[in-house]
Amino acid sequence: MGKSNGSAVKSVVTVVIIFAAAVGGVYFGMRLKDSNAPASKLEVGALFPAGFTVFDETAAPVTTADLLGGKGGVVLLLELGCPPCKEMTEKWQAAIDSGFTKEIPLYGVTINLPMNIRPYRLKKHLTFPIYSDSLNLFMDSCDVTNYPLQVVVGKSGK
């Protein structure tokens, strides 16, 4: 009976130590985070990254420079299954349908596979193009971790 009590105490102590380490890690991680840090590298005044390849819904490659074509526009960074992303795309489509955004090019970029884009666009009645960054190279390089993210890019590329 003495041996089982000893191993039970060791198990409880181990659990307490792991829990304390986890709580401490979260606390110090929150304290070290700069609350004024941008949500991504795509902050105001930053140059939109032009050297990445994304893919249209037919899997044809498009560079991020060609995506905007020197016109600027709004780039929606999203994940097709994300409820806030669905709501955002529906609102943008309503703005397009009303004519409110006829002078503003709108593009989506998702981490989903190209083959999933067309069915999503058709189901949601979206008329703007959505491109795939399924390898997550573009999103990762820009530190995009939360979806949706809307980026307004001027003609200058900023």
Side-chain angles (χ1 to χ4, degrees), residues 33-58:
K33 182 180 177 188
D34 180 4
S35 62
N36 295 320
S40 78
K41 290 181 182 174
L42 299 171
E43 61 188 18
V44 174
L47 192 61
F48 189 78
F52 290 91
T53 300
V54 293
F55 299 89
D56 70 12
E57 61 190 37
T58 67

Side-chain angles (χ1 to χ4, degrees), residues 33-110:
K33 182 180 177 188
D34 180 4
S35 62
N36 295 320
S40 78
K41 290 181 182 174
L42 299 171
E43 61 188 18
V44 174
L47 192 61
F48 189 78
F52 290 91
T53 300
V54 293
F55 299 89
D56 70 12
E57 61 190 37
T58 67
V62 178
T63 66
T64 49
D66 292 338
L67 180 77
L68 295 169
K71 300 178 286 192
V74 176
V75 180
L76 309 175
L77 305 173
L78 56 118
E79 193 277 316
L80 300 182
C82 145
C85 298
K86 176 184 174 249
E87 184 178 332
M88 180 191 62
T89 57
E90 289 171 351
K91 287 181 180 181
W92 275 105
Q93 188 59 52
I96 291 169
D97 293 344
S98 72
F100 183 73
T101 61
K102 65 182 174 184
E103 301 296 322
I104 304 168
L106 179 65
Y107 312 94
V109 177
T110 181

Side-chain angles (χ1 to χ4, degrees), residues 103-124:
E103 301 296 322
I104 304 168
L106 179 65
Y107 312 94
V109 177
T110 181
I111 58 172
N112 298 92
L113 294 170
M115 65 185 202
N116 296 329
I117 295 172
R118 185 170 175 73
Y120 180 83
R121 281 192 337 98
L122 292 174
K123 182 179 179 183
K124 304 295 182 196

